[in-house]
Amino acid sequence: MTEIVEYFEADSPYVPWAAEVTTHFMKSLGLPPYAVESLLQKGRVQSHRNGDVLAYGSEWIHIIIRGVIKETTPHGTTRLWRQGTMLGDISRVMLRKGTTDPSGARSIGPRITFLSTSVSLSVTARTLATMIEREPVLTLLLAQLTNERAQTIESVYAVSKADPGIRVARLLDYLAPPQWNHPNREKFDRLRWTRTGAYAVPDDAVTLTGPSQADIADALGLGRTTVEKVVASLRADGVLNVLAPGTRSNRYYEIGDRHRLRAMAMARAED
């Protein structure tokens, strides 16, 4: 298999590009410009490459602005998340907790591994709580992202009795890029850059770069062979496009029929 190389033709340096993507995302959620500016000033906007790791203390709240990430909790639970996910102990925002527990020890937060070119916004719980007092509209952002995370856990990760095909379809459909992505994303996604050259992406295809089949298996608690069989079946059925020999990667999925994938994802799981 070949390695997928993500390529961006940005007019500005990489970090300003990350701030631009963050601004666009926050505005897409309905935040007024003054609230967006406040977040950019108080938070840490960072760009990340595939394989980068973000490991802060538990007092930090992270919002994934772009990309796919793997979250590993201190208890060993693994989850895959897409852009728009808020990670961290949200209760600390409400309780305005500091950096240590009552014993004085520094608590450990989740380990975040970036599986694709990504952007994140990080802010401490105490800082975010202070910002909410000054800008109450940020409460809506907190509620929206917290609710979306809870819904994802319920629909994607809390269906262990469902058929493996349904579970993998739900995760792929969830991770696939939503419509609110950066306005210039279209020109980035129409070419798939690999070590052996550039390959055109079909106009009707949706691309997903990041998680390996092993990552999917770990996140869903499935065997790797099971996931491999499901992915192979999706390709045989035309839900995922079959890539030409020499251009394949186990971290790249070309969704050729999003409607069929979504129909499989919406199939009812067993109680």
PDB file of all heavy atoms in Angstrom, residues 53-89:
ATOM      1  N   VAL A  53       0.838  14.347  18.483  1.00  0.00           N
ATOM      2  CA  VAL A  53       0.151  13.989  19.723  1.00  0.00           C
ATOM      3  C   VAL A  53      -0.057  15.240  20.563  1.00  0.00           C
ATOM      4  O   VAL A  53       0.832  16.084  20.676  1.00  0.00           O
ATOM      5  CB  VAL A  53       0.958  12.947  20.528  1.00  0.00           C
ATOM      6  CG1 VAL A  53       0.308  12.692  21.887  1.00  0.00           C
ATOM      7  CG2 VAL A  53       1.064  11.644  19.747  1.00  0.00           C
ATOM      8  N   LEU A  54      -1.252  15.363  21.130  1.00  0.00           N
ATOM      9  CA  LEU A  54      -1.593  16.461  22.025  1.00  0.00           C
ATOM     10  C   LEU A  54      -1.931  15.850  23.378  1.00  0.00           C
ATOM     11  O   LEU A  54      -2.894  15.115  23.504  1.00  0.00           O
ATOM     12  CB  LEU A  54      -2.786  17.242  21.475  1.00  0.00           C
ATOM     13  CG  LEU A  54      -3.133  18.582  22.131  1.00  0.00           C
ATOM     14  CD1 LEU A  54      -2.005  19.578  21.933  1.00  0.00           C
ATOM     15  CD2 LEU A  54      -4.425  19.140  21.527  1.00  0.00           C
ATOM     16  N   ALA A  55      -1.107  16.141  24.386  1.00  0.00           N
ATOM     17  CA  ALA A  55      -1.318  15.556  25.711  1.00  0.00           C
ATOM     18  C   ALA A  55      -1.202  16.654  26.761  1.00  0.00           C
ATOM     19  O   ALA A  55      -0.104  17.006  27.183  1.00  0.00           O
ATOM     20  CB  ALA A  55      -0.303  14.447  25.977  1.00  0.00           C
ATOM     21  N   TYR A  56      -2.329  17.225  27.141  1.00  0.00           N
ATOM     22  CA  TYR A  56      -2.378  18.270  28.150  1.00  0.00           C
ATOM     23  C   TYR A  56      -2.973  17.700  29.433  1.00  0.00           C
ATOM     24  O   TYR A  56      -3.489  16.588  29.456  1.00  0.00           O
ATOM     25  CB  TYR A  56      -3.249  19.431  27.681  1.00  0.00           C
ATOM     26  CG  TYR A  56      -2.649  20.328  26.628  1.00  0.00           C
ATOM     27  CD1 TYR A  56      -1.521  19.969  25.916  1.00  0.00           C
ATOM     28  CD2 TYR A  56      -3.227  21.559  26.351  1.00  0.00           C
ATOM     29  CE1 TYR A  56      -0.986  20.794  24.952  1.00  0.00           C
ATOM     30  CE2 TYR A  56      -2.699  22.399  25.386  1.00  0.00           C
ATOM     31  CZ  TYR A  56      -1.574  22.012  24.679  1.00  0.00           C
ATOM     32  OH  TYR A  56      -1.046  22.843  23.721  1.00  0.00           O
ATOM     33  N   GLY A  57      -2.934  18.489  30.511  1.00  0.00           N
ATOM     34  CA  GLY A  57      -3.582  18.098  31.748  1.00  0.00           C
ATOM     35  C   GLY A  57      -5.092  18.126  31.597  1.00  0.00           C
ATOM     36  O   GLY A  57      -5.638  18.671  30.626  1.00  0.00           O
ATOM     37  N   SER A  58      -5.790  17.558  32.569  1.00  0.00           N
ATOM     38  CA  SER A  58      -7.249  17.447  32.482  1.00  0.00           C
ATOM     39  C   SER A  58      -7.960  18.782  32.636  1.00  0.00           C
ATOM     40  O   SER A  58      -9.176  18.857  32.460  1.00  0.00           O
ATOM     41  CB  SER A  58      -7.759  16.471  33.549  1.00  0.00           C
ATOM     42  OG  SER A  58      -7.460  16.961  34.852  1.00  0.00           O
ATOM     43  N   GLU A  59      -7.220  19.846  32.965  1.00  0.00           N
ATOM     44  CA  GLU A  59      -7.861  21.159  33.076  1.00  0.00           C
ATOM     45  C   GLU A  59      -8.102  21.803  31.707  1.00  0.00           C
ATOM     46  O   GLU A  59      -8.761  22.833  31.618  1.00  0.00           O
ATOM     47  CB  GLU A  59      -6.995  22.095  33.931  1.00  0.00           C
ATOM     48  CG  GLU A  59      -5.716  22.591  33.265  1.00  0.00           C
ATOM     49  CD  GLU A  59      -4.550  21.640  33.456  1.00  0.00           C
ATOM     50  OE1 GLU A  59      -4.792  20.476  33.850  1.00  0.00           O
ATOM     51  OE2 GLU A  59      -3.399  22.046  33.200  1.00  0.00           O
ATOM     52  N   TRP A  60      -7.611  21.163  30.644  1.00  0.00           N
ATOM     53  CA  TRP A  60      -7.746  21.732  29.305  1.00  0.00           C
ATOM     54  C   TRP A  60      -8.974  21.195  28.577  1.00  0.00           C
ATOM     55  O   TRP A  60      -9.327  20.024  28.704  1.00  0.00           O
ATOM     56  CB  TRP A  60      -6.503  21.440  28.473  1.00  0.00           C
ATOM     57  CG  TRP A  60      -5.330  22.285  28.873  1.00  0.00           C
ATOM     58  CD1 TRP A  60      -4.419  22.021  29.850  1.00  0.00           C
ATOM     59  CD2 TRP A  60      -4.963  23.544  28.307  1.00  0.00           C
ATOM     60  NE1 TRP A  60      -3.498  23.028  29.936  1.00  0.00           N
ATOM     61  CE2 TRP A  60      -3.801  23.980  28.991  1.00  0.00           C
ATOM     62  CE3 TRP A  60      -5.480  24.343  27.287  1.00  0.00           C
ATOM     63  CZ2 TRP A  60      -3.162  25.185  28.695  1.00  0.00           C
ATOM     64  CZ3 TRP A  60      -4.848  25.538  26.979  1.00  0.00           C
ATOM     65  CH2 TRP A  60      -3.714  25.955  27.681  1.00  0.00           C
ATOM     66  N   ILE A  61      -9.592  22.075  27.802  1.00  0.00           N
ATOM     67  CA  ILE A  61     -10.695  21.724  26.900  1.00  0.00           C
ATOM     68  C   ILE A  61     -10.188  21.903  25.482  1.00  0.00           C
ATOM     69  O   ILE A  61      -9.587  22.930  25.145  1.00  0.00           O
ATOM     70  CB  ILE A  61     -11.927  22.623  27.140  1.00  0.00           C
ATOM     71  CG1 ILE A  61     -12.375  22.538  28.611  1.00  0.00           C
ATOM     72  CG2 ILE A  61     -13.059  22.234  26.195  1.00  0.00           C
ATOM     73  CD1 ILE A  61     -12.829  21.171  29.045  1.00  0.00           C
ATOM     74  N   HIS A  62     -10.426  20.918  24.628  1.00  0.00           N
ATOM     75  CA  HIS A  62      -9.961  20.977  23.241  1.00  0.00           C
ATOM     76  C   HIS A  62     -11.151  20.893  22.289  1.00  0.00           C
ATOM     77  O   HIS A  62     -12.049  20.070  22.490  1.00  0.00           O
ATOM     78  CB  HIS A  62      -9.007  19.821  22.935  1.00  0.00           C
ATOM     79  CG  HIS A  62      -7.871  19.689  23.903  1.00  0.00           C
ATOM     80  ND1 HIS A  62      -6.782  20.521  23.895  1.00  0.00           N
ATOM     81  CD2 HIS A  62      -7.670  18.809  24.925  1.00  0.00           C
ATOM     82  CE1 HIS A  62      -5.938  20.169  24.859  1.00  0.00           C
ATOM     83  NE2 HIS A  62      -6.469  19.132  25.498  1.00  0.00           N
ATOM     84  N   ILE A  63     -11.155  21.726  21.275  1.00  0.00           N
ATOM     85  CA  ILE A  63     -12.162  21.653  20.214  1.00  0.00           C
ATOM     86  C   ILE A  63     -11.423  21.300  18.929  1.00  0.00           C
ATOM     87  O   ILE A  63     -10.494  22.004  18.524  1.00  0.00           O
ATOM     88  CB  ILE A  63     -12.916  22.978  20.047  1.00  0.00           C
ATOM     89  CG1 ILE A  63     -13.623  23.359  21.357  1.00  0.00           C
ATOM     90  CG2 ILE A  63     -13.945  22.872  18.910  1.00  0.00           C
ATOM     91  CD1 ILE A  63     -14.307  24.712  21.304  1.00  0.00           C
ATOM     92  N   ILE A  64     -11.827  20.201  18.291  1.00  0.00           N
ATOM     93  CA  ILE A  64     -11.207  19.788  17.037  1.00  0.00           C
ATOM     94  C   ILE A  64     -11.891  20.554  15.907  1.00  0.00           C
ATOM     95  O   ILE A  64     -13.072  20.354  15.633  1.00  0.00           O
ATOM     96  CB  ILE A  64     -11.334  18.266  16.827  1.00  0.00           C
ATOM     97  CG1 ILE A  64     -10.791  17.522  18.053  1.00  0.00           C
ATOM     98  CG2 ILE A  64     -10.608  17.845  15.571  1.00  0.00           C
ATOM     99  CD1 ILE A  64      -9.375  17.887  18.428  1.00  0.00           C
ATOM    100  N   ILE A  65     -11.144  21.429  15.277  1.00  0.00           N
ATOM    101  CA  ILE A  65     -11.693  22.299  14.228  1.00  0.00           C
ATOM    102  C   ILE A  65     -11.683  21.606  12.877  1.00  0.00           C
ATOM    103  O   ILE A  65     -12.586  21.780  12.068  1.00  0.00           O
ATOM    104  CB  ILE A  65     -10.887  23.608  14.151  1.00  0.00           C
ATOM    105  CG1 ILE A  65     -10.850  24.305  15.521  1.00  0.00           C
ATOM    106  CG2 ILE A  65     -11.463  24.539  13.082  1.00  0.00           C
ATOM    107  CD1 ILE A  65     -12.217  24.699  16.048  1.00  0.00           C
ATOM    108  N   ARG A  66     -10.672  20.825  12.629  1.00  0.00           N
ATOM    109  CA  ARG A  66     -10.545  20.130  11.348  1.00  0.00           C
ATOM    110  C   ARG A  66      -9.778  18.840  11.551  1.00  0.00           C
ATOM    111  O   ARG A  66      -8.905  18.748  12.399  1.00  0.00           O
ATOM    112  CB  ARG A  66      -9.812  20.997  10.320  1.00  0.00           C
ATOM    113  CG  ARG A  66      -9.773  20.371   8.925  1.00  0.00           C
ATOM    114  CD  ARG A  66      -8.857  21.151   7.996  1.00  0.00           C
ATOM    115  NE  ARG A  66      -8.997  20.706   6.623  1.00  0.00           N
ATOM    116  CZ  ARG A  66      -8.394  19.637   6.110  1.00  0.00           C
ATOM    117  NH1 ARG A  66      -7.612  18.906   6.886  1.00  0.00           N
ATOM    118  NH2 ARG A  66      -8.570  19.300   4.850  1.00  0.00           N
ATOM    119  N   GLY A  67     -10.117  17.813  10.763  1.00  0.00           N
ATOM    120  CA  GLY A  67      -9.370  16.570  10.794  1.00  0.00           C
ATOM    121  C   GLY A  67     -10.043  15.460  11.586  1.00  0.00           C
ATOM    122  O   GLY A  67     -11.141  15.616  12.122  1.00  0.00           O
ATOM    123  N   VAL A  68      -9.370  14.327  11.655  1.00  0.00           N
ATOM    124  CA  VAL A  68      -9.833  13.157  12.395  1.00  0.00           C
ATOM    125  C   VAL A  68      -8.791  12.846  13.457  1.00  0.00           C
ATOM    126  O   VAL A  68      -7.585  12.850  13.178  1.00  0.00           O
ATOM    127  CB  VAL A  68     -10.025  11.944  11.472  1.00  0.00           C
ATOM    128  CG1 VAL A  68     -10.392  10.697  12.276  1.00  0.00           C
ATOM    129  CG2 VAL A  68     -11.087  12.230  10.422  1.00  0.00           C
ATOM    130  N   ILE A  69      -9.243  12.569  14.684  1.00  0.00           N
ATOM    131  CA  ILE A  69      -8.313  12.307  15.776  1.00  0.00           C
ATOM    132  C   ILE A  69      -8.686  11.023  16.505  1.00  0.00           C
ATOM    133  O   ILE A  69      -9.820  10.539  16.409  1.00  0.00           O
ATOM    134  CB  ILE A  69      -8.271  13.489  16.785  1.00  0.00           C
ATOM    135  CG1 ILE A  69      -9.631  13.648  17.513  1.00  0.00           C
ATOM    136  CG2 ILE A  69      -7.911  14.772  16.067  1.00  0.00           C
ATOM    137  CD1 ILE A  69      -9.681  13.035  18.875  1.00  0.00           C
ATOM    138  N   LYS A  70      -7.712  10.490  17.217  1.00  0.00           N
ATOM    139  CA  LYS A  70      -7.940   9.327  18.084  1.00  0.00           C
ATOM    140  C   LYS A  70      -7.741   9.781  19.519  1.00  0.00           C
ATOM    141  O   LYS A  70      -6.677  10.289  19.881  1.00  0.00           O
ATOM    142  CB  LYS A  70      -6.981   8.197  17.735  1.00  0.00           C
ATOM    143  CG  LYS A  70      -7.122   6.974  18.644  1.00  0.00           C
ATOM    144  CD  LYS A  70      -6.323   5.791  18.117  1.00  0.00           C
ATOM    145  CE  LYS A  70      -4.832   6.042  18.159  1.00  0.00           C
ATOM    146  NZ  LYS A  70      -4.060   4.847  17.761  1.00  0.00           N
ATOM    147  N   GLU A  71      -8.768   9.604  20.332  1.00  0.00           N
ATOM    148  CA  GLU A  71      -8.694   9.952  21.746  1.00  0.00           C
ATOM    149  C   GLU A  71      -8.485   8.687  22.568  1.00  0.00           C
ATOM    150  O   GLU A  71      -9.232   7.723  22.430  1.00  0.00           O
ATOM    151  CB  GLU A  71      -9.985  10.641  22.190  1.00  0.00           C
ATOM    152  CG  GLU A  71     -10.016  10.959  23.683  1.00  0.00           C
ATOM    153  CD  GLU A  71     -11.411  11.296  24.189  1.00  0.00           C
ATOM    154  OE1 GLU A  71     -12.393  10.774  23.607  1.00  0.00           O
ATOM    155  OE2 GLU A  71     -11.518  12.063  25.158  1.00  0.00           O
ATOM    156  N   THR A  72      -7.471   8.709  23.411  1.00  0.00           N
ATOM    157  CA  THR A  72      -7.230   7.607  24.337  1.00  0.00           C
ATOM    158  C   THR A  72      -7.317   8.164  25.747  1.00  0.00           C
ATOM    159  O   THR A  72      -6.530   9.038  26.130  1.00  0.00           O
ATOM    160  CB  THR A  72      -5.842   6.984  24.114  1.00  0.00           C
ATOM    161  OG1 THR A  72      -5.713   6.590  22.749  1.00  0.00           O
ATOM    162  CG2 THR A  72      -5.651   5.771  25.008  1.00  0.00           C
ATOM    163  N   THR A  73      -8.289   7.698  26.520  1.00  0.00           N
ATOM    164  CA  THR A  73      -8.497   8.213  27.871  1.00  0.00           C
ATOM    165  C   THR A  73      -7.494   7.584  28.827  1.00  0.00           C
ATOM    166  O   THR A  73      -6.869   6.555  28.510  1.00  0.00           O
ATOM    167  CB  THR A  73      -9.919   7.910  28.359  1.00  0.00           C
ATOM    168  OG1 THR A  73     -10.046   6.490  28.571  1.00  0.00           O
ATOM    169  CG2 THR A  73     -10.957   8.366  27.340  1.00  0.00           C
ATOM    170  N   PRO A  74      -7.316   8.171  30.010  1.00  0.00           N
ATOM    171  CA  PRO A  74      -6.415   7.567  31.005  1.00  0.00           C
ATOM    172  C   PRO A  74      -6.818   6.147  31.388  1.00  0.00           C
ATOM    173  O   PRO A  74      -5.991   5.369  31.863  1.00  0.00           O
ATOM    174  CB  PRO A  74      -6.545   8.518  32.206  1.00  0.00           C
ATOM    175  CG  PRO A  74      -6.889   9.836  31.596  1.00  0.00           C
ATOM    176  CD  PRO A  74      -7.800   9.494  30.446  1.00  0.00           C
ATOM    177  N   HIS A  75      -8.092   5.786  31.148  1.00  0.00           N
ATOM    178  CA  HIS A  75      -8.575   4.442  31.460  1.00  0.00           C
ATOM    179  C   HIS A  75      -8.354   3.460  30.306  1.00  0.00           C
ATOM    180  O   HIS A  75      -8.679   2.282  30.426  1.00  0.00           O
ATOM    181  CB  HIS A  75     -10.059   4.485  31.815  1.00  0.00           C
ATOM    182  CG  HIS A  75     -10.373   5.413  32.951  1.00  0.00           C
ATOM    183  ND1 HIS A  75      -9.966   5.173  34.240  1.00  0.00           N
ATOM    184  CD2 HIS A  75     -11.033   6.599  32.980  1.00  0.00           C
ATOM    185  CE1 HIS A  75     -10.366   6.155  35.026  1.00  0.00           C
ATOM    186  NE2 HIS A  75     -11.014   7.040  34.286  1.00  0.00           N
ATOM    187  N   GLY A  76      -7.835   3.973  29.180  1.00  0.00           N
ATOM    188  CA  GLY A  76      -7.531   3.101  28.052  1.00  0.00           C
ATOM    189  C   GLY A  76      -8.598   3.010  26.985  1.00  0.00           C
ATOM    190  O   GLY A  76      -8.428   2.288  25.993  1.00  0.00           O
ATOM    191  N   THR A  77      -9.707   3.730  27.134  1.00  0.00           N
ATOM    192  CA  THR A  77     -10.768   3.714  26.123  1.00  0.00           C
ATOM    193  C   THR A  77     -10.325   4.509  24.890  1.00  0.00           C
ATOM    194  O   THR A  77      -9.780   5.606  25.014  1.00  0.00           O
ATOM    195  CB  THR A  77     -12.061   4.332  26.672  1.00  0.00           C
ATOM    196  OG1 THR A  77     -12.474   3.588  27.828  1.00  0.00           O
ATOM    197  CG2 THR A  77     -13.168   4.304  25.626  1.00  0.00           C
ATOM    198  N   THR A  78     -10.563   3.953  23.715  1.00  0.00           N
ATOM    199  CA  THR A  78     -10.193   4.602  22.463  1.00  0.00           C
ATOM    200  C   THR A  78     -11.442   4.994  21.693  1.00  0.00           C
ATOM    201  O   THR A  78     -12.372   4.205  21.557  1.00  0.00           O
ATOM    202  CB  THR A  78      -9.326   3.676  21.589  1.00  0.00           C
ATOM    203  OG1 THR A  78      -8.110   3.383  22.281  1.00  0.00           O
ATOM    204  CG2 THR A  78      -8.997   4.329  20.252  1.00  0.00           C
ATOM    205  N   ARG A  79     -11.459   6.211  21.194  1.00  0.00           N
ATOM    206  CA  ARG A  79     -12.560   6.700  20.362  1.00  0.00           C
ATOM    207  C   ARG A  79     -11.979   7.504  19.202  1.00  0.00           C
ATOM    208  O   ARG A  79     -10.942   8.158  19.336  1.00  0.00           O
ATOM    209  CB  ARG A  79     -13.513   7.585  21.166  1.00  0.00           C
ATOM    210  CG  ARG A  79     -14.287   6.866  22.257  1.00  0.00           C
ATOM    211  CD  ARG A  79     -15.373   5.986  21.674  1.00  0.00           C
ATOM    212  NE  ARG A  79     -16.204   5.351  22.699  1.00  0.00           N
ATOM    213  CZ  ARG A  79     -16.014   4.130  23.167  1.00  0.00           C
ATOM    214  NH1 ARG A  79     -14.996   3.422  22.719  1.00  0.00           N
ATOM    215  NH2 ARG A  79     -16.813   3.614  24.069  1.00  0.00           N
ATOM    216  N   LEU A  80     -12.669   7.462  18.068  1.00  0.00           N
ATOM    217  CA  LEU A  80     -12.311   8.302  16.917  1.00  0.00           C
ATOM    218  C   LEU A  80     -13.318   9.440  16.821  1.00  0.00           C
ATOM    219  O   LEU A  80     -14.522   9.223  16.962  1.00  0.00           O
ATOM    220  CB  LEU A  80     -12.334   7.479  15.629  1.00  0.00           C
ATOM    221  CG  LEU A  80     -11.378   6.277  15.563  1.00  0.00           C
ATOM    222  CD1 LEU A  80     -11.549   5.539  14.238  1.00  0.00           C
ATOM    223  CD2 LEU A  80      -9.933   6.716  15.747  1.00  0.00           C
ATOM    224  N   TRP A  81     -12.818  10.650  16.583  1.00  0.00           N
ATOM    225  CA  TRP A  81     -13.674  11.822  16.514  1.00  0.00           C
ATOM    226  C   TRP A  81     -13.339  12.649  15.287  1.00  0.00           C
ATOM    227  O   TRP A  81     -12.192  12.673  14.828  1.00  0.00           O
ATOM    228  CB  TRP A  81     -13.522  12.690  17.765  1.00  0.00           C
ATOM    229  CG  TRP A  81     -13.814  12.001  19.054  1.00  0.00           C
ATOM    230  CD1 TRP A  81     -12.908  11.533  19.965  1.00  0.00           C
ATOM    231  CD2 TRP A  81     -15.108  11.680  19.588  1.00  0.00           C
ATOM    232  NE1 TRP A  81     -13.551  10.951  21.021  1.00  0.00           N
ATOM    233  CE2 TRP A  81     -14.903  11.031  20.826  1.00  0.00           C
ATOM    234  CE3 TRP A  81     -16.412  11.899  19.141  1.00  0.00           C
ATOM    235  CZ2 TRP A  81     -15.941  10.586  21.630  1.00  0.00           C
ATOM    236  CZ3 TRP A  81     -17.458  11.450  19.942  1.00  0.00           C
ATOM    237  CH2 TRP A  81     -17.225  10.806  21.159  1.00  0.00           C
ATOM    238  N   ARG A  82     -14.336  13.359  14.799  1.00  0.00           N
ATOM    239  CA  ARG A  82     -14.134  14.235  13.642  1.00  0.00           C
ATOM    240  C   ARG A  82     -14.109  15.693  14.102  1.00  0.00           C
ATOM    241  O   ARG A  82     -14.220  16.007  15.288  1.00  0.00           O
ATOM    242  CB  ARG A  82     -15.269  14.052  12.637  1.00  0.00           C
ATOM    243  CG  ARG A  82     -16.590  14.646  13.113  1.00  0.00           C
ATOM    244  CD  ARG A  82     -17.684  14.498  12.086  1.00  0.00           C
ATOM    245  NE  ARG A  82     -18.900  15.164  12.520  1.00  0.00           N
ATOM    246  CZ  ARG A  82     -20.077  15.015  11.930  1.00  0.00           C
ATOM    247  NH1 ARG A  82     -20.190  14.199  10.900  1.00  0.00           N
ATOM    248  NH2 ARG A  82     -21.141  15.664  12.370  1.00  0.00           N
ATOM    249  N   GLN A  83     -13.946  16.578  13.136  1.00  0.00           N
ATOM    250  CA  GLN A  83     -13.995  18.007  13.415  1.00  0.00           C
ATOM    251  C   GLN A  83     -15.341  18.385  14.027  1.00  0.00           C
ATOM    252  O   GLN A  83     -16.373  17.800  13.714  1.00  0.00           O
ATOM    253  CB  GLN A  83     -13.758  18.831  12.147  1.00  0.00           C
ATOM    254  CG  GLN A  83     -14.649  18.469  10.967  1.00  0.00           C
ATOM    255  CD  GLN A  83     -14.023  17.463  10.052  1.00  0.00           C
ATOM    256  OE1 GLN A  83     -13.771  16.341  10.462  1.00  0.00           O
ATOM    257  NE2 GLN A  83     -13.791  17.839   8.800  1.00  0.00           N
ATOM    258  N   GLY A  84     -15.292  19.340  14.956  1.00  0.00           N
ATOM    259  CA  GLY A  84     -16.502  19.752  15.650  1.00  0.00           C
ATOM    260  C   GLY A  84     -16.678  19.077  16.995  1.00  0.00           C
ATOM    261  O   GLY A  84     -17.675  19.313  17.674  1.00  0.00           O
ATOM    262  N   THR A  85     -15.708  18.252  17.401  1.00  0.00           N
ATOM    263  CA  THR A  85     -15.807  17.546  18.684  1.00  0.00           C
ATOM    264  C   THR A  85     -15.126  18.347  19.786  1.00  0.00           C
ATOM    265  O   THR A  85     -14.042  18.893  19.588  1.00  0.00           O
ATOM    266  CB  THR A  85     -15.162  16.159  18.585  1.00  0.00           C
ATOM    267  OG1 THR A  85     -15.836  15.393  17.591  1.00  0.00           O
ATOM    268  CG2 THR A  85     -15.235  15.427  19.919  1.00  0.00           C
ATOM    269  N   MET A  86     -15.763  18.389  20.950  1.00  0.00           N
ATOM    270  CA  MET A  86     -15.157  18.997  22.131  1.00  0.00           C
ATOM    271  C   MET A  86     -14.696  17.886  23.060  1.00  0.00           C
ATOM    272  O   MET A  86     -15.449  16.984  23.401  1.00  0.00           O
ATOM    273  CB  MET A  86     -16.159  19.904  22.848  1.00  0.00           C
ATOM    274  CG  MET A  86     -15.610  20.539  24.117  1.00  0.00           C
ATOM    275  SD  MET A  86     -16.796  21.666  24.920  1.00  0.00           S
ATOM    276  CE  MET A  86     -16.727  23.066  23.807  1.00  0.00           C
ATOM    277  N   LEU A  87     -13.421  17.947  23.459  1.00  0.00           N
ATOM    278  CA  LEU A  87     -12.827  16.936  24.314  1.00  0.00           C
ATOM    279  C   LEU A  87     -12.385  17.566  25.628  1.00  0.00           C
ATOM    280  O   LEU A  87     -11.960  18.720  25.669  1.00  0.00           O
ATOM    281  CB  LEU A  87     -11.612  16.307  23.624  1.00  0.00           C
ATOM    282  CG  LEU A  87     -11.863  15.670  22.247  1.00  0.00           C
ATOM    283  CD1 LEU A  87     -10.545  15.257  21.618  1.00  0.00           C
ATOM    284  CD2 LEU A  87     -12.794  14.480  22.366  1.00  0.00           C
ATOM    285  N   GLY A  88     -12.463  16.794  26.689  1.00  0.00           N
ATOM    286  CA  GLY A  88     -12.054  17.287  27.991  1.00  0.00           C
ATOM    287  C   GLY A  88     -13.178  17.163  28.999  1.00  0.00           C
ATOM    288  O   GLY A  88     -14.314  16.790  28.669  1.00  0.00           O
ATOM    289  N   ASP A  89     -12.882  17.470  30.236  1.00  0.00           N
ATOM    290  CA  ASP A  89     -13.843  17.379  31.339  1.00  0.00           C
ATOM    291  C   ASP A  89     -14.651  18.675  31.403  1.00  0.00           C
ATOM    292  O   ASP A  89     -14.223  19.662  32.000  1.00  0.00           O
ATOM    293  CB  ASP A  89     -13.098  17.146  32.651  1.00  0.00           C
ATOM    294  CG  ASP A  89     -14.035  16.871  33.821  1.00  0.00           C
ATOM    295  OD1 ASP A  89     -15.264  16.972  33.634  1.00  0.00           O
ATOM    296  OD2 ASP A  89     -13.538  16.566  34.916  1.00  0.00           O
TER     297      ASP A  89
END
